[in-house]
Amino acid sequence: MRHRCKVDHLGKPADQRKALIRSLATSLFTHDEITTTLVRAKALRKEADRIVTLAKRGDVHAIRQVRNLIFHSRTGEVITDEKNREIPETVLRRIFSKVGPRFGSRNGGYTRVIQMPPRRGDAAPMALVQLTYELAE
């Protein structure tokens, strides 16, 4: 019996499961939407909502907590600072400069999971995970 088990095991040991969720979260915040299996999408939703909540807070401790929840990789974009120096944008910088402020007035529900047709080959149920942004008013 699985009474009081709150973790989606995803058929993996704890270290592999943590790495999988971290890589899915990194990809989600890099591209704003990803396609994955339905079970992984539901497990990702919990972590992504937690990351956005920390990004809305925006203090130093929140930055350090988010750094432990994602892989700190580059997004491929380049931004310039006030002295016209080019800085490669990272996922962590993107979360706190773009994602967090865009969810400023929203209280939860930061991700959307849309079911898609099953995957060809093994018929695994697939889902599209998106970040739900506020509409410009």
Side-chain angles (χ1 to χ4, degrees), residues 33-132:
E33 68 177 27
I34 59 171
T35 303
T36 184
T37 62
L38 184 62
V39 177
R40 289 179 182 180
K42 289 180 179 179
L44 172 63
R45 183 185 346 179
K46 296 173 190 173
E47 290 299 319
D49 286 349
R50 186 170 158 211
I51 290 170
V52 173
T53 303
L54 289 170
K56 284 172 53 176
R57 207 172 72 197
D59 57 353
V60 175
H61 185 56
I63 293 171
R64 290 177 178 162
Q65 285 179 313
V66 170
R67 190 181 60 203
N68 291 329
L69 296 174
I70 62 165
F71 288 119
H72 188 59
S73 60
R74 296 182 178 179
T75 61
E77 299 176 20
V78 177
I79 57 175
T80 57
D81 62 357
E82 60 274 352
K83 296 180 182 178
N84 280 340
R85 291 182 295 189
E86 292 185 351
I87 301 170
E89 186 178 48
T90 61
V91 178
L92 188 64
R93 186 176 285 130
R94 186 172 194 274
I95 288 172
F96 282 93
S97 65
K98 295 179 182 174
V99 175
R102 288 184 73 176
F103 287 110
S105 62
R106 191 178 186 114
N107 295 326
Y110 308 119
T111 55
R112 176 185 302 135
V113 176
I114 301 169
Q115 291 190 15
M116 297 177 64
R119 182 166 54 199
R120 186 181 167 118
D122 64 351
M126 298 297 287
L128 178 71
V129 183
Q130 297 176 331
L131 293 175
T132 58

